[in-house]
Amino acid sequence: MSMNHVTQKNFFYRFSLVIFLVIFSMAILIFRLWTIQVRDAELYREKAENNRIWPQRMKADRGKILTKDGTILADNRPSADVIFVPGDCPSNRYKNVAETLEKLINVPSFWILEQVENFKAEPFTQITLKRDISRSDWIRIEENNFQLPGVYVTVQPQRRYPLGNTAGQIIGYINETNRDELVLYEGRYFPGDFIGRSGIERYYENILKGTDGYMTVTKYASGRPQLRTDRYGNLLLVRKDTRGHLLTEEAGLRQLPTPGKNLVLTLDIELQKLCENLLASQPGSIVVLDADTGAVLAMASSPNYDPNIFVTKGKDAERLELLLNKQPNRMTNRAISEQYPPGSVFKVFLAATALEKGVITPKTTFFCPGAFKIGGTGREWKCWKKYGHGSVTVREALAYSCDVFFYNVGLKLGVDAISEYCHKIGLGEKTGIDLPGEVPGLIPDRVWKAKINAHKPVWEQKWYPGDTVNLSIGQGSCATTPLQNAVLMATIINGGHRIYPHLNADFVPPQPEEQIFSKKTLETVIDGMRLCVESIGEARAGTGKLAKVDGITVIGKTGSAQIMSLEHHKKYKSEEEIPWEMRDHAWFVAGVTDKKPKIALCILVEHGHHGSSAAAPLAQKVIHFFYNREPKQDIQLIAQESIGRIQH
């Protein structure tokens, strides 16, 4: 075989292979084109459309918080933010722009240049340089805009609390979402969004937060659309994406944001202001309820704070101080989030329960010599009156707060009955108010004592008569909140029904449950509590006489809750020498039975010594103001007069 023949054969072999590969490749290409353009045409059309358009979120306003008379407690104001878009500024001018901004609005130039470098790959990203600028800052930027290419001012809604401290602990505060929340609420919250942290802002977050809207713009390649606003917060269409391509809004592809729902509260704002002013110089709490419906008319807690601190620039030091929980903690709502020994106000509950269970009658008497012993034990429980009250009925025991009477009643009633009725009325458990952070308090019983002492000897787990004696006057391990005691008073004056306190004016109270106390029981208790405040016939007024209001039937009960044993106080010659933190808490619970609406209130003055002198006068001011207020009364003057009276 000649060399030419072999060469020709190899040529045809290679040529055939090339032809085969070309035909095979063309077949694959044609099949792929058929797949893309025919079989999967709809899928790729949808992907192409998604690549062409980009939805841009439009933030919704947060709902307002108001009172029934229209007073605004929380709303929104426009907040101006300074942004910089590097792509709208020549790169050789970055440094000059940064230095100019440092002079105008006090933002470090090195930090601005760092941010520009971070977004070098996406030059048309909006970099927020300063939030919530002042009007003077805005004017300076406008005056120097020829030196600031790429610098713009956008307007966003900013939370505002017009009344400052007033009802601050009820309203609560908001701040920016953290990383964990962004993961937890993916798709609902985005970086920079705010969320309720406490109070109404937190409890009703789902109602107050609106639904964001969107607008859809055309984009090219990996473009990222930019939205800006005019000075009134109206959206303006932005010109370019990250690649510098022009953007246009897609017709019909816009959904406006839906603002959050407004929330109307039951608060009587003028009464709230008065209560807060009455407590201005001392830690404590005042709760005023509509006794029939459970509507919260006032809930003051002192000291308080201004929620604006968390949404206003330049308040970093104040925010830090609040969040460090320095004592006394201004952010704690003492009406629901602190629990205290109820002291003698617990006697109201004990008297009603004993009468209802038939353990005593209105005519039952016990003799008070000033001290009490159980059987042959050497343990002695004192009455607050050194030489005793003599022979007293339940009516007189309530009026004059006789401890020995209630020691006897508590032993006859027993811890099991006490625990049963506490549960019925809501003592020692959460009331269910529409606020976060409520604590349950504690009503100790056999089960509780055995449980907490499970690691101790059996004799320390057992419930003893002495435990019942302590519980009978609201001492020992017993603890309640001011709100719980206000609920107790509402039950006494509304006919014996437990109420459910609430702040949302749209709340529909459930139908009254069982009547816990009978009419006959309540008449006796109310009679004794009335005698506590005012003289009846020849009987002189009791420990709450400073709460008397002319022309109004006020019933009440004082209380002084020990936080230290009497042994600790003996080394001091007078009450004034006792350190503030060792003094008894001062309580006063009260109600009005002959006016509409009937109100129930509870006042606590921390370390106030005596309910008769520290808390009862405050109740007198609250009740008088509520039923006799005049349109132009000076609330602050009323408070100052009351405080001066207590101090002297």
Side-chain angles (χ1 to χ4, degrees), residues 513-528:
E513 298 179 354
E514 63 170 316
Q515 187 176 7
I516 301 171
F517 301 122
S518 67
K519 182 179 179 182
K520 183 178 179 181
T521 292
L522 295 175
E523 286 176 349
T524 302
V525 173
I526 289 173
D527 196 31

Side-chain angles (χ1 to χ4, degrees), residues 278-325:
L278 289 171
L279 290 171
S281 64
Q282 54 210 339
S285 177
I286 299 177
V287 178
V288 185
L289 303 178
D290 184 316
D292 291 316
T293 67
V296 177
L297 304 177
M299 182 184 285
S301 177
S302 176
N304 56 16
Y305 74 99
D306 183 355
N308 285 302
I309 290 174
F310 290 92
V311 291
T312 305
K313 64 184 178 69
K315 299 290 184 179
D316 295 346
E318 291 91 334
R319 280 195 292 271
L320 181 61
E321 181 186 358
L322 287 175
L323 295 175
L324 286 176
N325 297 328

Side-chain angles (χ1 to χ4, degrees), residues 462-474:
K462 184 180 177 182
W463 184 271
Y464 293 98
D467 296 322
T468 305
V469 169
N470 287 331
L471 177 59
S472 298
I473 60 166

Side-chain angles (χ1 to χ4, degrees), residues 312-381:
T312 305
K313 64 184 178 69
K315 299 290 184 179
D316 295 346
E318 291 91 334
R319 280 195 292 271
L320 181 61
E321 181 186 358
L322 287 175
L323 295 175
L324 286 176
N325 297 328
K326 292 185 177 180
Q327 297 301 318
N329 190 344
R330 293 162 57 196
M331 298 184 68
T332 299
N333 186 339
R334 284 164 167 72
I336 64 169
S337 299
E338 290 281 11
Q339 52 195 32
Y340 311 84
S344 291
V345 300
F346 192 75
K347 295 171 183 176
V348 176
F349 162 80
L350 199 71
T353 303
L355 287 164
E356 191 67 23
K357 295 286 286 184
V359 170
I360 61 172
T361 70
K363 295 182 179 180
T364 299
T365 62
F366 291 103
F367 183 78
C368 171
F372 176 78
K373 290 184 179 181
I374 301 176
T377 65
R379 175 79 184 273
E380 187 177 64
W381 285 264

Side-chain angles (χ1 to χ4, degrees), residues 36-86:
I36 295 173
Q37 297 184 8
V38 180
R39 192 188 70 178
D40 297 332
E42 184 62 26
L43 173 64
Y44 286 101
R45 187 198 66 78
E46 183 177 344
K47 286 186 176 182
E49 182 69 10
N50 289 338
N51 285 332
R52 187 179 69 86
I53 61 176
W54 191 316
Q56 179 67 32
R57 187 168 67 107
M58 300 160 64
K59 288 185 180 180
D61 279 355
R62 197 170 178 84
K64 297 178 182 178
I65 303 174
L66 313 94
T67 61
K68 289 188 292 185
D69 66 357
T71 301
I72 296 175
L73 302 177
D75 65 356
N76 308 289
R77 65 174 175 81
S79 169
D81 299 341
V82 179
I83 64 169
F84 180 48
V85 182

Side-chain angles (χ1 to χ4, degrees), residues 73 161-168 171 305-308:
L73 302 177
Y161 303 97
L163 299 186
N165 289 46
T166 301
I171 300 166
Y305 74 99
D306 183 355
N308 285 302

